Amino acid sequence: MPATEDPTSQFVAWVRGAAPYIHAFRGKTFVVGFGGEVAAGERAQSLAYDCNLLAALGIRLVLVHGARPQIDVELARRGLEPRFHHGLRVTDVEALECVKSAMAVTRFEVEALLSQGLPNTPMAGSYMRVTGGNFITARPVGVVDGVDYQYTGAVRKIIAEEINADLDQQNVVLITPLGVSPAGEIFNLAMEEVAEAVAVALKAEKLIYLCDAPGLLDAEGQLVESVTADEAQSKIETGEGLTEDLHLFLPCAIRAVRRGVARCHLIDRDKDGGLLLEFFTHAGVGTVVSRDPLFRLREATVDDVAALVSLITPMEADGTLVRRGRELLEQEIERFTVVEHDGVLVGCAALYPFSEDNAAELACLAVTPEYRRAGLGDQLLKRIERRARVQRLERLFVLTTRTAHWFRERGFSEIGPEALPRQKRELYNFQRRSKVFVKSL
């Protein structure tokens, strides 16, 4: 956004930019998993504010909290040593008492944060109904590598219909990672595995983990904005860019998206407003894990016209694109290819064939500013070239005033307007003085 733009305009632009996401997420289920570090940390209050806002926007919200540091404190208070094997706590009888105590206190503290409604806060005038229940049936982990985990358990079943019943009443469901066996035994469960199981059982739109890193990092330490499940699996095998939390959370994320959860997000637990920035801005702030690639190319339909107008209007205003009215877009919509990011239209291009000249025009190639470094322009160009070849066309030409270098770098050569197909040549605007490029197919 231009630096000269005033704060009021920035705010208006942000709200308008967030509107498509608000519409898309209303009525969808989000499962948020966070450790005891978050519950006891300085961002806990802000997290409560953001959860309140998500619920107010109509998002069905399930929160799963952990309490690992609180359990360790309780063990130390009783003179006991924590025991772990492969990152999973070994819970004997004495440790189970510490687990129950720490979990109960942490749950009450989280409920208290979610139940505020003080004036002059983001939760003023609101009342968030927080519910819970015996939604989890558990089983013992048993003996692994000769280590008896005793009262450490795994999820056997999630009572999804009961959670959905609470969500249907516009309640926020808060789940403590304890489970009960059919025999009445209590088991200590891993927060991340409970969140995964709940998200899968509810067929959630999103599973979110608040973790000790901005997300997955590449070899240079830069944030990886999105990965497929297969790509994430390779990172686990190499250990590349994984912190303590990510070693625990990433396998759960992979399993969740492979079992039907639409997206899993890894967000920095110390990022103020991380949930809002991830879900209501184009760029986001964390790493998205999906079963399939996050960007999707497809042919446009008439339902895309409104989104196309919003996409190309700024570029028409600055002269990058020729103006096209809504009515013309509706008439020519079958010529357009669009690219979506997480269901939101972020790019387009159109193909106008001139069969008598065995040529076609690439027109209205546009990508939103936030994704211009994501290679979407190249993907759209390849898709348009493929469509042209299917129609047995031999040349692809383009008229541009601003991006001549981009087309040169992709194999286009400059020609004069007189080399255009006759029908296009007659419509050439000499006042606009667009440069003409052509590429052999």
Side-chain angles (χ1 to χ4, degrees):
M1 192 171 296
T4 56
E5 195 163 0
D6 66 85
T8 300
S9 298
Q10 291 181 21
F11 172 76
V12 170
W14 182 87
V15 174
R16 289 172 178 165
Y21 301 102
I22 294 172
H23 296 313
F25 296 150
R26 183 178 294 118
K28 300 296 176 63
T29 301
F30 287 17
V31 177
V32 183
F34 56 93
E37 298 88 352
V38 176
E42 60 181 20
R43 299 295 185 197
Q45 183 71 78
S46 298
L47 176 62
Y49 292 158
D50 295 347
C51 289
N52 181 277
L53 179 57
L54 295 178
L57 292 173
I59 292 170
R60 294 155 60 92
L61 200 57
V62 180
L63 307 178
V64 183
H65 75 85
R68 177 174 286 192
Q70 291 87 342
I71 293 169
D72 288 342
V73 168
E74 185 64 20
L75 285 167
R77 191 181 69 82
R78 303 188 189 194
L80 303 172
E81 288 290 330
R83 293 176 57 210
F84 291 90
H85 184 64
H86 293 324
L88 190 61
R89 187 184 298 277
V90 177
T91 312
D92 58 19
V93 173
E94 292 178 309
L96 181 62
E97 293 305 310
C98 297
V99 168
K100 291 190 290 184
S101 175
M103 289 285 193
V105 171
T106 303
R107 180 187 178 88
F108 282 128
E109 289 176 344
V110 173
E111 281 192 8
L113 289 170
L114 296 171
S115 301
Q116 298 174 83
L118 291 173
N120 301 319
T121 74
M123 295 172 71
S126 69
Y127 175 68
M128 184 187 291
R129 294 188 299 273
V130 181
T131 63
N134 56 337
F135 303 128
I136 306 171
T137 302
R139 60 174 176 79
V141 168
V143 180
V144 179
D145 297 333
V147 176
D148 187 353
Y149 280 93
Q150 301 184 59
Y151 290 97
T152 298
V155 175
R156 175 180 289 181
K157 182 181 179 181
I158 300 293
I159 315 299
E161 57 269 24
E162 294 298 328
I163 300 175
N164 276 320
D166 276 4
L167 295 173
D168 289 342
Q169 297 179 50
Q170 299 182 338
N171 297 325
V172 171
V173 176
L174 178 61
I175 294 179
T176 298
L178 291 172
V180 180
S181 73
E185 294 176 299
I186 297 173
F187 288 98
N188 175 31
L189 309 177
M191 175 278 294
E192 59 273 13
E193 294 181 3
V194 172
E196 172 203 340
V198 169
V200 170
L202 297 179
K203 299 179 173 63
E205 179 73 12
K206 294 186 182 296
L207 168 62
I208 303 107
Y209 288 115
L210 303 183
C211 57
D212 60 356
L216 283 175
L217 304 178
D218 62 19
E220 286 73 43
Q222 299 299 309
L223 178 67
V224 178
E225 295 181 353
S226 64
V227 291
T228 64
D230 290 343
E231 291 167 344
Q233 185 64 50
S234 70
K235 287 188 175 293
I236 290 177
E237 292 167 2
T238 62
E240 179 185 316
L242 300 188
T243 61
E244 181 180 0
D245 278 357
L246 293 176
H247 272 292
L248 298 174
F249 299 166
L250 191 56
C252 297
I254 294 169
R255 290 193 298 265
V257 298
R258 285 176 171 168
R259 295 169 65 195
V261 175
R263 301 281 186 269
C264 181
H265 299 256
L266 305 168
I267 303 175
D268 189 347
R269 68 192 183 202
D270 294 323
K271 182 73 173 178
D272 189 22
L275 291 176
L276 306 184
L277 292 167
E278 178 72 352
F279 300 129
F280 300 111
T281 64
H282 283 306
V285 293
T287 297
V288 184
V289 183
S290 58
R291 188 184 66 179
D292 302 311
L294 204 57
F295 292 103
R296 183 167 77 98
L297 270 75
R298 61 174 176 79
E299 308 315 316
T301 70
V302 70
D303 293 333
D304 296 312
V305 170
L308 276 172
V309 170
S310 297
L311 173 65
I312 67 177
T313 294
M315 284 172 266
E316 291 175 342
D318 68 14
T320 303
L321 297 178
V322 176
R323 290 188 180 275
R324 288 172 172 80
R326 185 185 182 107
E327 184 177 347
L328 182 62
L329 281 172
E330 290 177 354
Q331 293 171 357
E332 300 181 342
I333 193 64
E334 75 280 355
R335 301 186 186 281
F336 280 80
T337 293
V338 296
V339 58
E340 293 177 320
H341 177 268
D342 210 8
V344 177
L345 195 149
V346 296
C348 67
L351 179 71
Y352 289 83
F354 295 87
S355 299
E356 61 185 30
D357 295 278
N358 284 328
E361 179 188 6
L362 164 63
C364 203
L365 177 59
V367 176
T368 57
E370 295 85 354
Y371 295 106
R372 286 177 185 166
R373 296 186 177 182
L376 300 186
D378 288 298
Q379 293 182 44
L380 285 164
L381 174 59
K382 289 177 183 177
R383 181 72 164 246
I384 292 295
E385 289 177 351
R386 188 158 56 247
R387 289 180 62 182
R389 289 191 186 99
V390 168
Q391 298 179 43
R392 299 184 183 280
L393 302 173
E394 297 176 357
R395 293 184 302 145
L396 185 67
F397 65 88
V398 63
L399 281 70
T400 180
T401 58
R402 302 286 185 91
T403 55
H405 67 286
W406 192 88
F407 289 104
R408 281 197 185 97
E409 291 168 0
R410 283 149 183 85
F412 284 78
S413 302
E414 188 171 0
I415 58 174
E418 67 280 357
L420 288 169
R422 179 186 56 81
Q423 187 179 352
K424 184 66 181 179
R425 187 169 63 246
E426 292 172 353
L427 297 173
Y428 182 81
N429 185 339
F430 284 92
Q431 289 184 327
R432 183 172 168 82
R433 298 181 64 187
S434 298
K435 292 188 176 183
V436 182
F437 290 85
V438 69
K439 183 178 184 180
S440 230
L441 297 175

